[in-house]
Amino acid sequence: MTSILNADLHCHSVVSDGTLTPEQLAARASANGVELWALTDHDEVGGLQRAAAAAKAHGMKYLTGAEISVTFAGETLHIVGLGFDASDPRIQQGLMTTRGGRGPRAMEMAAGLAAVGIPNAYEGALKFVGNPELISRTHFARFLVESGVCKDTYEVFRRYLTEGKPGYVPHRWATLKDAVGWITQTGGVAVIAHPGRYKFTANEEYALFSEFKAHGGQGVEVVTGSHTVAEYVEYATVAKEFGLAASRGSDFHSPDESHTDLGTLPYLPGDLTPVWELLADRIQ
Ligand code: AMP
Ligand code: MN
Ligand code: MN
Ligand code: MN
């Protein structure tokens, strides 16, 4: 398959921190011309059966997916898994462990917010949660917008939910080795999500790509809603340097919040190997 394909291999439903159901996302992707689609909820595969059925109903090709939270060099990064066997206990157990710390973390976040005069944020965030095992910073952000503390979720992250801010709680997620292992052992391809978003030094980024490859990682997001056009070029070069396949995905969360809609990004540059070429026999 060529790089000229409207593939959208990164988005979120109510099963993590999106606001649409898997069915609504599939309908929206299809209406926007997506030909190959994956739902990649954070640390969760609970929406995939519904996603697969909805993709089929719309005649869209489909890959299983998830976006795994990882701690590397003291920072959080995300690894997207595509095409794995979602019924395999190895990925299910791994994701369950990764989700495990979210409840206690959320209570600590609420305590930090209460200390600066924002009470009851845990209860407030819970109203926006679709999956009790997946309370995330995004749900707190929606509550702070609803309660008038901030005008939009971007302002909430900037003022309250990023490192050094009152609602930020450092957290230890999965290791890079484990996340890549769960994906590859269950037949999938591991992809570094939106590398342009991380605050790594050049040396740390080199270490990330080297270790990722050494663990069996095979792909990197080049064209994503989180990258600038300059970053498409930058990470196309990195993909070639490290011999990685390239992925494309909007990272769509919500019609009200996301700048990039499903299926609307530019195609992958033609000189890269698309991840879907590696996953030809996993496409449903
Ligand atoms: P969590 O997994 O609970 O740490 O939440 C991470 C999610 O918050 C990401 O997947 C994004 O959806 C959202 N997010 C993280 N950083 C920002 C930011 N600076 N601005 C807006 N949304 C963000
Ligand atoms: Mn998210
Ligand atoms: Mn992400
Ligand atoms: Mn994402």
Side-chain angles (χ1 to χ4, degrees):
M1 265 187 289
T2 82
S3 53
I4 310 300
L5 181 78
N6 193 340
D8 196 321
L9 304 179
H10 190 151
C11 67
H12 300 273
S13 78
V14 291
V15 174
S16 63
D17 61 348
T19 62
L20 301 185
T21 62
E23 290 82 5
Q24 288 169 324
L25 286 168
R28 193 176 180 102
S30 171
N32 288 356
V34 171
E35 296 162 282
L36 172 65
W37 177 60
L39 172 64
T40 56
D41 276 312
H42 294 286
D43 308 324
E44 188 43 290
V45 290
L48 295 189
Q49 283 189 354
R50 291 167 63 187
K56 195 171 183 184
H58 288 282
M60 257 186 317
K61 295 192 177 79
Y62 167 84
L63 283 165
T64 56
E67 182 178 21
I68 307 181
S69 311
V70 163
T71 302
F72 179 83
E75 300 285 337
T76 297
L77 63 88
H78 290 163
I79 298 295
V80 164
L82 296 170
F84 53 81
D85 174 0
S87 69
D88 191 305
R90 288 172 290 185
I91 188 125
Q92 292 198 355
Q93 282 284 336
L95 295 181
M96 197 200 295
T97 308
T98 308
R99 287 195 297 274
R102 281 184 178 271
R105 170 193 187 234
M107 293 200 208
E108 268 192 72
M109 287 172 61
L113 292 169
V116 295
I118 303 168
N120 305 319
Y122 180 75
E123 295 73 17
L126 266 188
K127 287 189 298 173
F128 293 90
V129 165
N131 171 358
E133 286 186 34
L134 217 118
I135 182 161
S136 91
R137 283 186 288 165
T138 312
H139 302 112
F140 282 86
R142 291 187 184 131
F143 168 64
L144 266 65
V145 172
E146 181 205 49
S147 52
V149 175
C150 293
K151 71 173 192 313
D152 59 29
T153 56
Y154 294 93
E155 186 188 345
V156 182
F157 275 91
R158 197 173 66 246
R159 289 176 54 195
Y160 293 102
L161 298 182
T162 42
E163 211 169 331
K165 300 299 159 66
Y168 183 78
V169 174
H171 192 75
R172 189 158 287 275
W173 302 103
T175 66
L176 181 64
K177 180 172 191 271
D178 283 348
V180 173
W182 300 329
I183 296 162
T184 54
Q185 285 157 20
T186 58
V189 164
V191 175
I192 298 177
H194 43 62
R197 261 178 48 183
Y198 311 131
K199 304 281 177 277
F200 289 129
T201 63
N203 281 343
E204 286 168 340
E205 189 181 86
Y206 187 87
L208 165 63
F209 277 82
S210 306
E211 290 185 33
F212 173 74
K213 269 216 72 145
H215 294 314
Q218 292 181 281
V220 57
E221 285 185 346
V222 171
V223 177
T224 139
S226 297
H227 281 176
T228 62
V229 173
E231 285 168 336
Y232 301 162
V233 178
E234 180 183 346
Y235 288 100
T237 304
V238 172
K240 282 182 274 189
E241 275 172 12
F242 282 88
L244 294 170
S247 191
R248 175 183 190 260
S250 57
D251 206 359
F252 182 81
H253 282 71
S254 164
D256 300 326
E257 296 163 14
S258 295
H259 295 312
T260 307
D261 206 340
L262 289 153
T264 61
L265 287 166
Y267 290 123
L268 283 181
D271 56 344
L272 300 176
T273 303
V275 279
W276 47 90
E277 227 171 79
L278 309 182
L279 287 161
D281 61 347
R282 312 292 299 180
I283 293 173
Q284 300 174 30

